[in-house]
Amino acid sequence: MATFLYKLGRMSFRRRHFVALIWVALLTLAGVGAASAPAAGNSSFSIPGTEAQKAFDLLEQRFPGTSADGATARVVFKAPSGEKMTDPGNKATVQETVKELADGSEVVRVTDPYQAKAVSKDGTIAYAQVSYKVSGMELEDSSRDALEDSAQDARKAGLTVEVGGDALQTVPHTGTTEIIGIAVAAVVLVITFGSLIAAGLPLLTALIGVGIGVSSITALASALDLGSTTSTLAMMIGLAVGIDYALFIVSRYRAELAEGREREDAAGRAVGTAGSAVVFAGLTVVIALVGLSVVNIPMLTKMGVAAAGTVAIAVLIALTMIPALLGYAGRKVKPAGEKGRLLGRAKAQDKPVKPNLGTRWASFVVRRPVAVLLLGVIGLGAAAVPAASLELGLPDDGSQPTSTTQRRAYDLLSEGFGPGFNGPLMVVVDAKASDDPKAAFTAVGDEIKGLEDVVTVTPPAPNKAGDTATITVIPDSKPSSVATEDLVHSIRGKGAGIKADSDAHVLVTGQTAMNIDVSEKLNDALIPYLVLVVGLAFLLLIVVFRSILVPLKAALGFLLSVMAALGAVVAVFQWGWLAGLMGVEQTGPVMSMMPIFMVGVVFGLAMDYEVFLVTRMREAYVHGEKAGQAVVTGFRHGARVVTAAAVIMMAVFAGFIGSSESMVKMIGFGLAIAVFFDAFVVRMAIIPAVLALLGRKAWWLPKWLDRALPNVDVEGEGLRSASGDQDKELVRA
């Protein structure tokens, strides 16, 4: 591995024009493809295997043209103080609004509040429900604009009008936060390298890699039904690892220059050593992202595969374009220890070199491993305590900021009709096999009326064939509550008895039931996903480090950091600690996708830091240093780079905390705090403490396994042998 990558690095350095031309051509080709590709809508959202999805599919068959899983909007009206919605003027305004809403090209139907009895008991609040042909993520902007314009017209007439429902659901735009993250990355890189040129290389290559990846996704979006949300994860992860990988190689190149090597040889060695770490770090990220397919949610699978492709591009760019750009930069990239004009002149050669902070810290940890280990484990354990109270759910309009029209509509409906009105359940009764379908429909309605937490049960609404009916159930509790979840399970529990009595099949669906099913599906998939990702990465790291204990402590350390990060998320977003500081207006269940998303993303980044730090230690150990000294050597060369990489990632993710979307805010905070815990507590403290305690045992590997494993030579031992052979050739000459 190291020898092959060494040759690749030297070739890229020499043939820099050819390499640069290839990547520019690929970027141009991807850009042209994206520009000429047909505009893609949002990918269809389906959850195979869930009862809610089965019910939607059944409704499409038995109620053709009704768009059962289409978007809905509720336009909520409130009369001025002292008036009622039944007053003639207010009624005329509402009916005019209903007429305007019905003209939309994507609208299936609009209910009139006065015909549908959608007026509160006190007469002050009414609502009109708008049903669309497509889902909220597929809805055209023109339909949303028409919805908001109609509401604004009614406001001008003196009514309070708010709009809720998934019709207003849009993809969060976070372009400004990405710019902030890139700006912070640039500052950190300049401080790390002391040179604008050296700092610019990782940024340039990362942006090229992300450009190729995202443009390719856009070009293929229509053909592969990728949708507009697929590129979000690819952009975030691609930018993160692209900067990291280039940073690792440029840093190693400067270290090789400091040892007196020629620039071409230094580029080859940087790719042969740090590049080997980049390859295996990239493989762990790809495994984590592709592993999202075990959840069996098509949209999540596509997002993971697309992001994995972008990571693969980042690896290839780091291995080829970085040495090519180093060739262009020439002497403008200084050896390690020297600074460019930006931050001062080079150090005087006659002055003794003071140990850097990484060396001093590692020496301290090696002297006090037990204290550092206990402090790190206890600290992360304390941070993980709130995770025991983790409640999962999907956000609804009740979790929106109070400044949004969706949240105000939610509150108005709760005031006029009760909190459960915001999350109605749709019960589908399939009585095709029943001898008396009408009796089966009535029996289901009667059974549901007897359950706890039920406020209203509408009469059955059969289809034209009379073999299937829908029943709307209004719970007493809000959609995201445990009581509503229990009600869904209770209705489904009654279905078994009904099927035995009447051969009718009962299914529960609707947005609330779908959210509950998705949360349970994600929760059930978390353990298999962890086993798959951590297991495969464990095997990969055994090959890299040729050790059993090093990969084991890497995996355990990752689990510690993820649990601590989940605990922090629960404390802020569920318990409300520091909620004001984070801009959290409404606490509630943690987004159900958060744990599995955090595991996938953070695991990949954590293994980046693990591979880069520990391969340096392994390299020093293989080259003859004692186990404790190898830890210090690894930190001397790698701590500054890993710190810079972690700070960059934290800045990128923390930028998302400023988003108005609670989901984006939670993801940003969770990933930022997870990187902090993993990079600075686990990799910088716990891992060196464990290695210091284990000593030579850390690198133990059974002889039979050592013979069976392929020798990938990540530490570059083959390069040392090759260098010795070259020296002998020169002596003979």
Side-chain angles (χ1 to χ4, degrees):
M1 171 72 78
T3 304
F4 169 76
L5 293 178
Y6 170 76
K7 294 177 181 177
L8 178 65
R10 293 194 63 164
M11 185 274 291
S12 299
F13 188 95
R14 284 196 311 271
R15 309 274 185 174
R16 62 186 75 104
H17 303 306
F18 179 68
V19 172
L21 182 62
I22 287 178
W23 284 113
V24 171
L26 288 174
L27 179 61
T28 304
L29 184 64
V32 170
S36 59
N42 294 284
S43 58
S44 54
F45 186 78
S46 63
I47 315 295
T50 61
E51 182 171 314
Q53 186 64 49
K54 292 176 182 176
F56 277 137
D57 296 340
L58 181 65
L59 288 171
E60 288 291 339
Q61 296 173 10
R62 306 287 173 84
F63 292 81
T66 58
S67 301
D69 59 348
T72 59
R74 281 178 171 173
V75 183
V76 188
F77 307 89
K78 184 174 183 180
S81 179
E83 299 181 17
K84 292 192 175 183
M85 290 305 305
T86 51
D87 293 346
N90 295 336
K91 186 174 182 179
T93 300
V94 171
Q95 290 177 329
E96 180 63 27
T97 303
V98 169
K99 184 179 178 182
E100 288 181 18
L101 291 169
D103 291 336
S105 60
E106 293 183 310
V107 175
V108 176
R109 62 184 174 277
V110 182
T111 60
D112 186 314
Y114 304 101
Q115 295 178 5
K117 298 180 180 179
V119 181
S120 62
K121 290 181 180 179
D122 62 4
T124 60
I125 298 174
Y127 73 92
Q129 180 155 314
V130 188
S131 300
Y132 293 91
K133 299 175 184 177
V134 295
S135 67
M137 296 297 287
E138 298 174 293
L139 203 62
E140 295 288 341
D141 289 339
S142 58
S143 295
R144 295 192 184 93
D145 293 340
L147 185 63
E148 293 171 358
D149 291 343
S150 298
Q152 186 60 35
D153 291 341
R155 291 189 189 106
K156 292 177 181 177
L159 297 177
T160 298
V161 186
E162 305 295 346
V163 183
D166 60 346
L168 296 184
Q169 182 181 11
T170 57
V171 180
H173 296 288
T174 52
T176 55
T177 59
E178 292 162 11
I179 293 172
I180 293 172
I182 292 172
V184 172
V187 172
V188 173
L189 288 170
V190 169
I191 294 172
T192 303
F193 292 138
S195 164
L196 286 174
I197 299 295
L201 297 183
L203 284 177
L204 177 61
T205 54
L207 291 174
I208 291 174
V210 168
I212 294 173
V214 173
S215 296
S216 300
I217 291 169
T218 304
L220 298 172
S222 179
L224 301 181
D225 190 29
L226 298 179
S228 58
T229 58
T230 310
S231 61
T232 304
L233 181 63
M235 182 181 294
M236 182 165 56
I237 302 304
L239 188 62
V241 300
I243 295 173
D244 271 10
Y245 297 161
L247 174 64
F248 294 160
I249 292 178
V250 173
S251 176
R252 185 58 184 259
Y253 171 76
R254 296 177 72 236
E256 295 291 342
L257 287 180
E259 293 182 8
R261 303 191 190 281
E262 293 295 328
R263 293 187 176 273
E264 182 179 327
D265 187 46
R269 288 179 174 275
V271 175
T273 51
S276 298
V278 164
V279 169
F280 285 98
L283 278 175
T284 60
V285 181
V286 169
I287 288 171
L289 292 170
V290 174
L292 290 171
S293 58
V294 303
V295 184
N296 196 26
I297 296 179
M299 185 182 73
L300 196 59
T301 299
K302 292 173 184 177
M303 289 175 68
V305 172
T310 307
V311 170
I313 292 171
V315 171
L316 292 174
I317 282 187
L319 297 178
T320 57
M321 194 166 186
I322 281 292
L325 292 178
L326 289 171
Y328 283 119
R331 298 186 180 279
K332 293 179 182 178
V333 176
K334 305 292 184 182
E338 291 188 20
K339 296 180 180 179
R341 294 178 182 177
L342 184 68
L343 296 180
R345 296 183 177 276
K347 294 179 181 179
Q349 296 297 320
D350 55 345
K351 290 185 178 180
V353 179
K354 182 181 178 182
N356 61 21
L357 182 59
T359 302
R360 298 197 298 273
W361 169 250
S363 299
F364 170 77
V365 173
V366 169
R367 290 196 306 270
R368 301 283 189 273
V370 176
V372 172
L373 177 61
L374 289 177
L375 186 62
V377 171
I378 292 171
L380 290 180
V385 168
S389 303
L390 177 67
E391 295 178 10
L392 297 177
L394 286 176
D396 55 23
D397 286 347
S399 62
Q400 296 275 1
T402 53
S403 58
T404 62
T405 186
Q406 297 98 312
R407 173 61 186 277
R408 291 195 292 263
Y410 181 97
D411 292 340
L412 283 177
L413 287 172
S414 297
E415 177 188 336
F417 303 93
F421 202 78
N422 285 290
L425 306 175
M426 181 184 290
V427 178
V428 182
V429 185
D430 179 8
K432 194 170 186 178
S434 176
D435 295 333
D436 190 352
K438 289 185 178 180
F441 300 154
T442 303
V444 172
D446 292 341
E447 285 282 356
I448 295 173
K449 288 177 184 177
L451 297 175
E452 294 183 7
D453 204 53
V454 172
V455 174
T456 305
V457 179
T458 65
N463 62 349
K464 289 183 180 179
D467 58 6
T468 308
T470 60
I471 300 172
T472 301
V473 180
I474 306 298
D476 187 40
S477 304
K478 63 180 182 179
S480 59
S481 67
V482 176
T484 300
E485 184 177 343
D486 291 340
L487 175 61
V488 170
H489 292 308
S490 297
I491 296 173
R492 289 171 174 170
K494 292 288 185 181
I498 292 170
K499 184 173 178 61
D501 295 339
S502 60
D503 289 326
H505 192 43
V506 178
L507 300 168
V508 184
T509 189
Q511 190 62 47
T512 300
M514 179 66 84
N515 287 352
I516 291 170
D517 286 353
V518 170
S519 297
E520 291 181 352
K521 190 177 184 70
L522 287 166
N523 196 35
D524 292 342
L526 183 58
I527 298 301
Y529 177 68
L530 261 177
V531 171
L532 173 69
V533 171
V534 177
L536 288 176
F538 178 76
L539 296 176
L540 188 64
L541 292 179
I542 289 178
V543 175
V544 175
F545 296 130
R546 307 196 74 78
S547 164
I548 298 292
L549 296 179
V550 170
L552 180 61
K553 57 85 183 161
L556 294 177
F558 159 73
L559 294 176
L560 261 179
S561 59
V562 166
M563 290 304 298
L566 279 177
V569 169
V570 170
V572 173
F573 292 90
Q574 191 174 308
W575 292 0
W577 293 7
L578 302 177
L581 182 63
M582 296 294 169
V584 179
E585 297 187 19
Q586 181 69 38
T587 60
V590 172
M591 184 183 64
S592 53
M593 199 178 291
M594 190 69 195
I596 203 162
F597 185 81
M598 185 181 291
V599 166
V601 175
V602 177
F603 183 78
L605 294 177
M607 292 305 104
D608 282 358
Y609 307 141
E610 173 76 16
V611 169
F612 190 74
L613 264 180
V614 181
T615 48
R616 264 299 204 174
M617 299 176 192
R618 168 75 180 171
E619 183 179 339
Y621 179 76
V622 168
H623 291 164
E625 292 188 10
K626 293 183 178 179
Q629 184 58 39
V631 172
V632 176
T633 300
F635 266 75
R636 182 171 68 250
H637 294 293
R640 182 182 178 89
V641 180
V642 170
T643 299
V647 170
I648 289 170
M649 293 308 99
M650 289 169 60
V652 171
F653 295 141
F656 292 88
I657 297 176
S659 173
S660 60
E661 291 281 343
S662 60
M663 179 177 70
V664 176
K665 186 188 296 287
M666 187 182 297
I667 289 174
F669 173 80
L671 294 181
I673 198 71
V675 169
F676 172 77
F677 285 147
D678 197 88
F680 293 106
V681 181
V682 174
R683 307 303 151 192
M684 295 286 191
I686 293 178
I687 295 305
V690 171
L691 289 176
L693 287 171
L694 291 175
R696 296 182 61 184
K697 296 177 183 177
W699 308 108
W700 171 80
L701 186 70
K703 291 183 179 179
W704 63 269
L705 185 56
D706 187 34
R707 290 191 298 268
L709 291 177
N711 184 12
V712 295
D713 189 23
V714 176
E715 59 277 354
E717 182 63 24
L719 299 184
R720 171 171 288 197
S721 301
S723 177
D725 293 341
Q726 290 174 2
D727 292 342
K728 291 175 183 178
E729 293 284 342
L730 290 172
V731 169
R732 290 195 191 107

